[in-house]
Every structure is written in C-alpha cells, then in structure tokens.
Amino acid sequence: MTRLVTSLAAHVDVTDPECPYRAALEKIARHATTKCADFTNPPQAFIDQLCPHYSKVLEEDVHLAAGDRSLVFDVLDLPRMYSEPAVLPDAEHRFIALLVMEGVVPRILTTNWDGLIEAAYRDAQDGHAPPLPVVISPADLDGVEPGPRLVKFHGCAVRAAKHPDAKQHFVATQKRINEWNMSEQFLAIRDEVRTAVRYFPALLVGLSAQDVNIQMQFEQAVVGREPWATWAPSRAAFAQAEAGEAQERILKTLYGKHYAGANAGQIERAATIGLYAKPLFGALYFELVFRKLLAICDAGQEAFTPEQLQFVRAWLLNTQNRIRDHYDRLPPSERWVRLSECLPSHIAHAHGLYRHYRPISRETAYVPVSRIQLGHPQGAPEDARALLCLAALSHGDTLGAWSAEPPRPGSDAFHAFLKIGLRQWRIVVVRDSLLAMHRLEASMLSAHAAETVAVYPTGSRPRKRRRGLGATLPSRGRSAGPYEVWFDEIASEPYTPAQMVEELKLELLGLPHAP
C-alpha cells in the first residue's frame, strides 16, 4: 500500500486540479478513517487502514485521456513486484516446506501471489521427495497425483510475469474476487478449495479470512452436513489473538447452532492462536519433529526393555527442552531464522546418513523424520533401536566417557565427532549393515574412511571381518576403515544406560588405530 500511494503521488500534477492521479488518491483515501495530508509520505496508521481493503483499493484505476491505467498491472505491476528473483524465501516459507515434506500439510491454499513457498520447497529437495504441484487453473489439476499440493487460487505472480496468459487467473481487485465466486472459469479451483475445507482442518494465516470468496467456500463446503459439535481442536484456526467479524462468520458457518451463548466464547478461544508467521510455523515444526520421534520410540517398544524405553523417552524430552532453552535465549528477530537453518540441517545430516548412507547434497536440503502423519504408526523397530543408540552416545558425553560434537551447519563435516583422550572418530549411525559399507565409502572422501565408525542399531556381527573398499586402495592397510560397531550386541544385554556407555567405550577403544 505504501508503494502504491507514493507511486501515484509521484505522478500528481500539482498545477492541475483535475489531475487523474490526484483523483485516484482521493478515492483510495476514502477507505481509511485516518487523514493523509501528504501522500508522498503517508502515515503508517493510514496505510494500516488501507490494507484490510486492498481489493477495493486496487480497483481505483487511474483514468487518463489515453486510456485507463490499472493499479494492478500498470502502476504497481504486481506480477513483476511479487516475482523478484532477489526476494528469497524467509524462515516461515522454509517451515511450511518442511511441514509439507513431513506429510502433515495435505493442502496449502493461498491468496498470496509470490512464489516463495514453492521456492523454499525446491531448496529443501534432496532427491527423495516428489515435486510440489502448483495449481492456479483447472489445467493444472489434470494428471495431478494424490498428495500435497499448493493451490494459489488468486493466481501466481511468477507465472503471470513470464506468461501473459496467466494474468487471466490473477485475482487482486474486488471485481475479480466476485468473478472468482461466480465464473465457470474458476469452478474447478473453487471445488478444490471446498474439498480441502470439507475434509481437512484449516489454519488461516494473514488477511485471507476477510475475503468474501473464502467465506463463501466455507459456507458451500458444509451444505448438506450437520455442523461440527466439537471444537477441541478447532475445525478452523486463525493466526491471531482474537476473532474478528470475518473469523466469527466462518466459525458460525462451521459450528452452526452450537456457536451460541457460552459455547461461542469457547469456540473462539479454541480457534485463535496468538502466533503468526515465523513463530507459528516454527513452533509447529519444532513440536512435530519431537512428537514424531516419540511416536517412533513408542511404536518400537518391542525393541526395548522397559528401562530402555524410559531412558530414550527421557533423552528425547530433555533434548527438546535443551534446544528450546537455547533458542529462547536468542533475540526474537534471530530465533526463528536460526532454528529454520540449524535444526532441519542436523536432522537431514543424521537421517540422510541413516537412511540413504550419504550426506545431504546441499545445506538447505532436508530429509524428513517420516512422511507419515501423526496418529499413524511411525518408523520400524530398527528406527526405535537407532534412537536408543543416539541416546547412549549423548549420555556418554553427559557422563564424561567421551566428548561429542554434532555436525555444524554450513560445514563439510557431516558426521558427529566423538573423542576419547587423543583418539577421535567420525560416528555415523546407519540402518543396514549389509548396504552401508560400500555406500558409505562411495559418499565419503577416502581420507575420512580410516577415522569413520559405522554404528548399526540392529543386526549381528559377521563371523568374518569385512573389508571396505578403502582397504584395497593404494597406501591403505588391510585394517583401514570405515570400522563397524554392532550396537545391538550391547543393547541386548540387561545393562543400565551407564553400563551401555561403558561397553560402547570399550568397543571403540578396541578398534585399530588409523594408519
């Protein structure tokens, strides 16, 4: 809005009382109660009052003798403005992409024109996830496979800037919003929105709830069905502290007769979240990761003794609290950006090696904990055993049996380092001992192999010691690594956590020194 007002003001001819640019500004000013004496430097209160009425503001074209100038395409050139390559995804876009990859966001419905969500999703790819389909027209739905997708039902600036035909799907003014509600051109997209509202709980962020076309899709989605009678959790949640008129209309649509009396206040409190953007999506991602890890732990209970299960759960909860405390000490302006960079990187490093036996291809790439929604079984017994292995490695650092240093985001160190006295190893926890040796060597520098220890959470040590490819390289002795440790041989004994640490320490110290 600031750019619009100042751009129009720059074209005002102060000598012409009938200046079309002045006339457009005067019409725009009617949408705000705060007066603006100087359109070249509008007060923030004036701009804030215009924002909720953006679709009506953008309808006020400049009427010139040579023809009308559209505020959307001529004055502001919104497709170009919202597709600037120099504008990169922020932390909230990355968190959304990570939530999609973790399988908990089946649909993203957005009125935003920019391409930042899909850009963040591309940045997070590491070759193990399908692309994110972007839907702006009925043709985009042809052949779309089941799975998550991004529905940009007010159009896409990136496409509109590159392909003029895509401007017909660009919705910005009140007139276009009304057409979106009624025109056959948008019928398939309306069906996509209604289907999502009908089958999935909704989280509404930003100004979208105020748009009449969104409110109408909620109303049409519930036609013929009984209102929802429970609101914990809410069928629709809003990223704001209190419900306004638009939010109340949507809640009334969903809960019908139940949205009355004392229930109305309870429904509104359940539906409003006092978080927005980075804190909201960052907190959702952070909580999701640890809930999934706890679910993997609980799903693999047969892999543990009761004492081991209690030990792993306590370690996960303590780790979550330590990470939370660390980021809570950072300034709010830095907290969520750092979290979006560091925590996903650590997870991707560890999980990429564990599942795929190689480091991630680039620092922004991500490997999800799982692609399964919460409430469904997570992981397998060997995944639960891997958590026990990680808990023991962490516990050894706590007890002083060794010092451990996790991989640092932004560095080429993709393993955890573990040090006892003068000896140091790169520790990688990997799933399958039959596949790991050759794949690990194929993905590591040979200079690292002699210091690397592959720890297998499950399985038994072969009778004959295996040799990695590194043992046959020139200047490498037959004892060259990577070395292998079968953690299951330790975990299968009735050891306490401290005894597991001591046994693992003896196992490591018994490995040959690197040549």
Side-chain angles (χ1 to χ4, degrees), residues 58 88 103 117 136 172 179 216 231 240 279 287 310 343 349 374 438 456:
L58 292 175
L88 301 177
I117 291 177
I136 69 167
E179 290 176 356
M216 288 184 64
W231 44 87
Q240 55 193 71
E287 186 66 24
Q310 182 179 4
L343 181 59
H349 276 297
L374 283 172
H438 293 290
Y456 308 123

Side-chain angles (χ1 to χ4, degrees), residues 97-270:
L98 299 178
L99 290 168
V100 172
M101 293 182 70
E102 289 286 353
V104 297
V105 180
R107 295 288 185 279
I108 305 172
L109 310 175
T110 182
T111 58
N112 289 358
W113 304 302
D114 62 67
L116 297 177
I117 291 177
E118 51 267 50
Y121 190 87
R122 286 193 300 271
D123 287 345
Q125 295 307 291
D126 192 40
H128 298 288
L132 180 65
V134 178
V135 176
I136 69 167
S137 71
D140 295 325
L141 293 169
D142 294 342
V144 173
E145 298 291 332
R149 51 184 172 263
L150 172 61
V151 182
K152 305 176 75 169
F153 56 92
H154 279 186
C156 176
V158 176
R159 288 203 204 172
K162 293 180 179 179
H163 308 290
D165 289 348
K167 289 183 177 180
Q168 65 180 308
H169 304 292
F170 202 86
V171 179
T173 65
Q174 188 60 51
K175 179 181 178 181
R176 291 288 286 158
I177 289 175
N178 293 338
E179 290 176 356
W180 190 93
N181 279 323
M182 306 300 296
S183 172
E184 289 290 318
Q185 173 189 357
F186 297 104
L187 177 60
I189 305 300
R190 292 198 300 272
D191 285 342
E192 186 76 5
V193 175
R194 287 196 294 266
T195 299
V197 170
R198 190 176 296 118
Y199 292 108
F200 304 113
L203 172 61
L204 290 92
V205 182
L207 300 175
S208 54
Q210 74 183 22
D211 288 340
V212 174
N213 60 340
I214 295 178
Q215 296 173 11
M216 288 184 64
Q217 300 320 303
F218 272 87
E219 292 169 0
Q220 294 176 17
V222 300
V223 169
R225 65 150 293 150
E226 285 294 311
W228 277 272
T230 59
W231 44 87
S234 179
R235 188 67 189 178
F238 306 94
Q240 55 193 71
E242 296 180 354
E245 182 180 344
Q247 292 76 29
E248 290 172 359
R249 179 175 174 179
I250 290 176
L251 293 174
K252 176 66 175 176
T253 296
L254 295 174
Y255 294 106
K257 62 185 178 182
H258 304 293
Y259 186 63
N263 284 350
Q266 294 178 16
I267 290 172
E268 289 175 12
R269 286 190 292 274

